[in-house]
Amino acid sequence: MTETTARLPGDPSASASVARMIRVDHAGEYGAVRIYQGQLAALRGRGKSDLVRHMLAQEQHHLRTFDGLIADRAVRPTALLPVWHLAGFALGALTAALGERAAMACTVAVEETIDAHYQKQLAELDQTEPDLRATISQFRDEEIEHRDTGLAHGAEQAPGYRLLRAVIKTGCRAAIALSERV
Ligand SMILES: [Fe+2]
Ligand SMILES: [Fe+2]
């Protein structure tokens, strides 16, 4: 029996772990909004702006949903939001300044990381949180769409794709680990 299934409903450790999930997911969606805003600013209506605008609208919906969960469940948001505000925008703007394909490579790296993160949460969430589970599952599907959009629009042809992807994924994983705790 895993630790998750051994937990009883209402167990304080369960609500603490759910609070940690909501905190990190809120931080991630906040960062995603900032990345796509940074990309749009750098693209200035050129290139793949329409695609980026569509992904931004979905991230804004994800963020609003987690804003609601933060409020409803009195979860403390991460203290690092001001950092993600700047770092997310900078990541989006810098990659888009390198070119459309680098912007798409950034999208692939970020969305792949979020997909894995949501997948892990879905495995951890038990039957006591059906609504949260459904929300995360739906958002995960949209993050996978974003990754596929990046792949369909030249991400892999970006100069230095492998390195760029690896560096961004490492950064995102570090941001996730920090946002769960801080
Ligand atoms: Fe998202
Ligand atoms: Fe996304």
Side-chain angles (χ1 to χ4, degrees):
M1 191 178 272
T2 67
E3 202 186 299
T4 309
T5 54
R7 231 164 31 205
L8 297 170
D11 184 326
S13 68
S15 56
S17 81
V18 169
R20 204 158 48 232
M21 283 186 193
I22 293 171
R23 178 178 309 117
V24 66
D25 294 354
H26 175 256
E29 299 298 352
Y30 185 91
V33 165
R34 292 298 289 163
I35 289 168
Y36 290 124
Q37 285 177 340
Q39 288 190 349
L40 274 183
L43 290 171
R44 272 179 274 161
R46 287 174 290 120
K48 311 285 185 190
S49 290
D50 287 346
L51 286 176
V52 176
R53 224 173 274 126
H54 174 68
M55 295 191 283
L56 172 60
Q58 286 178 312
E59 301 301 357
Q60 283 167 328
H61 169 68
H62 299 174
L63 176 59
R64 274 195 301 274
T65 304
F66 278 104
D67 273 335
L69 285 163
I70 285 259
D72 291 348
R73 303 202 184 198
V75 172
R76 174 184 64 76
T78 175
L80 296 170
L81 287 183
V83 179
W84 306 147
H85 187 83
L86 296 174
F89 190 89
L91 176 61
L94 285 172
T95 51
L98 290 174
E100 281 170 34
R101 289 177 297 188
M104 292 294 141
C106 169
T107 295
V108 169
V110 169
E111 302 290 0
E112 266 181 0
T113 312
I114 302 183
D115 166 30
H117 167 74
Y118 278 155
Q119 219 174 312
K120 190 165 148 256
Q121 286 191 341
L122 289 170
E124 281 170 24
L125 275 174
D126 49 29
Q127 303 308 315
T128 60
E129 291 285 350
D131 293 350
L132 182 59
R133 228 178 170 285
T135 296
I136 291 174
S137 175
Q138 187 213 320
F139 291 179
R140 182 187 161 222
D141 289 345
E142 292 173 0
E143 314 304 6
I144 291 171
E145 271 176 39
H146 299 166
R147 180 205 62 197
D148 291 345
T149 296
L151 290 171
H153 290 87
E156 291 162 304
Q157 283 80 52
Y161 171 69
R162 291 166 72 94
L163 178 64
L164 193 60
R165 174 167 164 265
V167 168
I168 294 172
K169 286 184 84 159
T170 302
C172 288
R173 286 197 209 100
I176 287 170
L178 281 167
S179 300
E180 278 173 339
R181 291 163 182 82
V182 181

